[in-house]
Amino acid sequence: MPKAQPLDFAPNYCHAIEIDITPNESTPTWRSALEGITSVQPASDETKDEDVFYDKLGQTETTVTNVKASIALTGFRKYGSEVQDFVQSKALLTGNDRKTGFRWTHPDGTFFQGMCNLCDIVPGSGMGDANAKGDFSFTMALDTIDTIDILDCNGGDHGYAFATNFNPEINLREVSAPGSYWENGHWVE
């Protein structure tokens, strides 16, 4: 088996974004949301508290209190695409009828999964010039992230028994904290 090559600056097309096209079923049906898509734009809308304190000499201290992530997908309408047909079927619906599951896998294997709301759907596909492809776009507003799996970007093949790509401050905090382990259904220190 060939050794994994370093990712360095992985091309954007190395991301995988999937949605569940059967959200009302007991088992999800995952399909790539990228068919016919030419641009993917993740975004973050943050709510912040900004306070000015005397002991900070009147300087503003900013605290992020809420993050609302979204992913805008744009491209061309591909009729017969399971995902695009599913998204288009939601264009005139509201509320929970717009919710479905999503999975987003980064090139290094980092994996996010949760629920999203399908927004900004143009009903019937955007039309324009007579000889141009029809436009297609929608936004996945990420409502919940239920699963986060951060994988070691070296694929575990670096000679160390731990991941080397995390924040050093967090690593020091973890190794200096009291140890604990799971035994008989509870944590033991």
Side-chain angles (χ1 to χ4, degrees):
M1 175 178 261
K3 183 174 171 134
Q5 297 297 312
L7 289 172
D8 294 331
F9 299 102
N12 288 329
Y13 64 78
C14 291
H15 288 258
I17 300 173
E18 301 166 287
I19 63 172
D20 176 13
I21 61 169
T22 57
N24 297 323
E25 301 295 324
S26 59
T27 303
T29 304
W30 297 108
R31 295 291 184 266
S32 173
L34 301 177
E35 191 174 13
I37 299 300
T38 58
S39 177
V40 177
Q41 296 294 320
S44 176
D45 182 16
E46 297 178 343
T47 304
K48 298 174 263 215
D49 279 343
E50 294 186 345
D51 300 303
V52 179
F53 295 101
Y54 282 96
D55 65 336
K56 304 277 188 201
L57 302 175
Q59 296 297 312
T60 302
E61 182 176 292
T62 303
T63 304
V64 175
T65 59
N66 188 26
V67 177
K68 180 63 176 168
S70 63
I71 306 170
L73 297 95
T74 58
F76 299 114
R77 178 68 166 108
K78 184 171 183 181
Y79 294 92
S81 161
E82 289 180 291
V83 168
Q84 287 196 15
D85 292 347
F86 172 76
V87 171
Q88 277 297 308
S89 75
K90 306 297 182 184
L92 300 177
L93 302 177
T94 60
N96 288 335
D97 290 333
R98 289 267 188 118
K99 293 185 182 291
T100 193
F102 78 92
R103 295 194 304 196
W104 180 11
T105 307
H106 292 238
D108 67 354
T110 300
F111 177 87
F112 299 89
Q113 181 173 329
M115 294 299 293
C116 70
N117 201 321
L118 304 175
C119 306
D120 306 321
I121 304 167
V122 177
S125 171
M127 296 176 62
D129 294 335
N131 62 347
K133 296 175 184 172
D135 292 329
F136 179 78
S137 63
F138 70 101
T139 300
M140 296 167 41
L142 308 185
D143 290 340
T144 65
I145 298 177
D146 305 320
T147 304
I148 300 175
D149 190 0
I150 301 173
L151 302 180
D152 181 4
C153 70
N154 299 316
D157 189 21
H158 50 59
Y160 299 104
F162 56 89
T164 58
N165 60 323
F166 293 101
N167 182 313
E169 178 185 329
I170 293 172
N171 286 346
L172 289 173
R173 212 177 319 147
E174 288 176 348
V175 298
S176 63
S180 60
Y181 60 95
W182 187 259
E183 182 177 71
N184 297 325
H186 65 282
W187 287 102
V188 178
E189 284 195 20

